[in-house]
Amino acid sequence: MRIHVRLLSGRLASVDSLGPESFVYDLRRRAEKDLQVGISSLSCRNEVLSGTSTLAEVGLEDGDTVNAVVRRPTLASSIRCPSFVLIQGDGSLVTWGAGSSTSQPPCVQQVALSETACAAVREAGDVVTWGEAKQCDTHLVQNHLKNVREVVATGHAFAALREDGEVVTWGHIVSGGESNQIRNKLHAVRQIASSMHAFAALRKDGSVVTWGENESGGDSSKVQAQLREVHAIIGADFAFTAVLFDGSVVTWGDEASGADSSHVQQDLFAVKQVVATCDAFAALRQDGRVVTWGDGAAGGDSSTVQEQLRGVRQVFASSRAFAAVRHDGSVVTWGDEACGGDSSLVQSQLQGVREIAASSQAFAAILDDGHVVTWGNKASGGDSQRVQGELHSVEQVQGSRGAFAALREDGKLITWGHAAFGGSGPLGS
């Protein structure tokens, strides 16, 4: 059979010699070769086609045309992680920083990074790991790591969400790497969230299943009756917040780290976004107001800037501070000053802000004109003077534990911050 693959630009590739049992990822790889571009997804009749399904399973027939979205290079890391991963347009990887891999797997779709390890989902739906041995040992679950859609990490364990809604876990038991006791509940899952040492799985019926260290939110028994019609789950280090479809919020875990939201519960309505530092949460409401709770020193107390928190578009978090971007492109910050909670030195530059990235102790704002403004701990990327002349036409910025990486429109990679955490870039860059 022959399938036509069409880019948004109109360019077309006709892929021959396919059978009904050929996989969608086979079609994608063949089309990538013909079109000389990486493809992130294929769709037909307004439905995204799963790479691990066969052409027959997704209903493709001889002569059909599918639409392709070009894959752009993507940076990955987190404020817990000491390294970076760059997924290139063809699915190959570039890694750098502490614990980075010297042998990278090909055809990668998504990566998850813990504190000392990484797991990559390849287009065939299998998983490849590298880093600390205990977290990378998948031999007990390898037969179950098939048709994987996404992998999520705690500090020292991983959970893989399969296309069929089943969940597979591995890594340190105390960090959620073992889920046998609730195995019969881990089905029909649509999202997995993580804290430092626990996971929370949101099922398609709106209920929630948790496991891992109790003190990190692995035990949700006290609020289980309230966890109905849940829309999304967000994890801090030792607590979780669930946003329900009606815009209300349910919290659990360590009370001092954000699990106790009782004093602001009356303000938690019409919530559309929640973000977390290590020990606090910030909720953005539909009316553009922000409500915070948790450790006051980590951003849980926003009283000093509350009058400025109006018309907020989006909120971002470092380990102990928040940064809110308002609809007019200005920025409001609060929390630990040493972690980016004080932006006074660059406040005049924070105009026309498009989005913000965070390392553990600093922030980097991308402006509408593609320039970047940084603040916070200098050693963690708050000082970008060394590379400021190169920070133009920037498309994306990603923070690690102590550094930043930026990708420009021309594909050039710029890094700054602590060298041990990726601030000096890949070898040979």
Side-chain angles (χ1 to χ4, degrees):
M1 56 194 294
R2 169 183 288 186
I3 303 295
H4 307 291
V5 179
R6 181 174 55 204
L7 300 178
L8 294 177
S9 65
R11 288 179 59 204
L12 193 72
S14 297
V15 181
D16 295 310
S17 303
L18 293 167
E21 298 308 310
S22 297
F23 290 100
V24 171
Y25 66 75
D26 291 326
L27 170 62
R28 183 168 60 202
R29 292 304 288 179
R30 294 269 303 276
E32 286 178 330
K33 186 176 180 180
D34 289 350
L35 293 167
Q36 294 294 296
V37 296
I39 295 174
S40 63
S41 64
L42 297 175
S43 63
C44 185
R45 306 177 190 94
N46 297 319
E47 296 244 348
V48 176
L49 307 181
S50 168
T52 55
S53 297
T54 65
L55 303 188
E57 288 171 340
V58 298
L60 289 181
E61 299 178 349
D62 183 44
D64 279 349
T65 298
V66 298
N67 297 313
V69 177
V70 174
R71 175 165 50 191
R72 303 287 296 172
T74 303
L75 289 163
S77 188
S78 75
I79 63 173
R80 295 175 184 162
C81 182
S83 60
F84 289 93
V85 174
L86 171 62
I87 307 176
Q88 303 194 97
D90 62 359
S92 62
L93 299 185
V94 178
T95 65
W96 68 97
S100 58
S101 171
T102 56
S103 177
Q104 295 85 16
C107 309
V108 170
Q109 297 292 298
Q110 182 255 341
V111 295
L113 301 100
S114 70
E115 287 195 330
T116 53
C118 182
V121 181
R122 300 198 297 183
E123 62 181 13
D126 60 339
V127 174
V128 178
T129 60
W130 65 90
E132 193 249 320
K134 176 66 175 179
Q135 294 177 64
C136 296
D137 184 2
T138 59
H139 79 277
L140 293 178
V141 296
Q142 194 61 53
N143 290 338
H144 302 287
L145 288 173
K146 299 175 181 178
N147 299 329
V148 173
R149 182 197 316 165
E150 179 186 22
V151 176
V152 177
T154 58
H156 302 282
F158 294 94
L161 177 59
R162 301 196 320 196
E163 293 284 358
D164 61 5
E166 299 289 314
V167 175
V168 182
T169 61
W170 69 96
H172 289 267
I173 294 176
V174 294
S175 282
E178 193 273 306
S179 55
N180 289 335
Q181 292 185 348
I182 42 90
R183 170 65 50 199
N184 63 331
K185 299 179 181 179
L186 288 175
H187 57 85
V189 172
R190 64 181 175 87
Q191 183 214 343
I192 302 175
S194 66
S195 65
M196 179 61 80
H197 298 298
F199 290 104
L202 173 56
R203 302 201 307 189
K204 293 178 181 178
D205 64 2
S207 62
V208 175
V209 181
T210 58
W211 69 100
E213 185 182 68
N214 290 350
E215 294 78 8
S216 291
D219 179 5
S220 57
S221 56
K222 292 182 179 179
V223 296
Q224 193 57 228
Q226 303 172 53
L227 293 173
R228 297 290 182 269
E229 298 186 359
V230 174
H231 173 62
I233 305 173
I234 301 87
D237 271 11
F238 302 103
F240 287 99
T241 290
V243 181
L244 277 55
F245 275 101
D246 64 4
S248 62
V249 163
V250 178
T251 56
W252 70 96
D254 181 69
E255 292 190 356
S257 299
D260 181 7
S261 57
S262 58
H263 64 293
V264 294
Q265 196 60 228
Q266 72 277 4
D267 298 318
L268 290 172
F269 58 87
V271 171
K272 68 175 184 177
Q273 181 206 10
V274 173
V275 296
T277 60
C278 289
D279 296 307
F281 292 95
L284 174 60
R285 298 192 319 211
Q286 295 284 354
D287 62 4
R289 300 304 300 269
V290 175
V291 181
T292 60
W293 68 97
D295 183 354
D301 179 4
S302 57
S303 58
T304 59
V305 295
Q306 193 55 229
E307 288 306 306
Q308 301 174 53
L309 291 174
R310 300 174 183 270
V312 173
R313 186 178 77 222
Q314 196 170 1
V315 183
F316 302 87
S318 68
S319 63
R320 294 178 58 80
F322 291 103
V325 179
R326 301 198 300 191
H327 285 291
D328 63 3
S330 62
V331 173
V332 180
T333 57
W334 69 97
D336 190 336
E337 293 183 0
C339 295
D342 179 7
S343 56
S344 58
L345 293 179
V346 296
Q347 199 63 48
S348 62
Q349 303 173 52
L350 291 173
Q351 305 298 322
V353 173
R354 189 168 78 218
E355 62 179 301
I356 296 176
S359 68
S360 64
Q361 298 180 326
F363 289 102
I366 306 178
L367 307 185
D368 287 334
D369 63 7
H371 287 86
V372 173
V373 178
T374 59
W375 69 97
N377 185 291
K378 292 184 177 182
S380 293
D383 180 0
S384 56
Q385 287 186 354
R386 176 178 62 85
V387 295
Q388 196 61 52
E390 300 179 80
L391 290 174
H392 57 83
S393 306
V394 171
E395 285 191 332
Q396 60 178 294
V397 176
Q398 176 67 55
S400 71
R401 188 185 301 173
F404 287 99
L407 268 180
R408 293 195 323 209
E409 291 176 0
D410 61 6
K412 185 172 176 57
L413 175 69
I414 315 295
T415 61
W416 68 97
H418 200 299
F421 300 137
S424 59
L427 290 176
S429 66

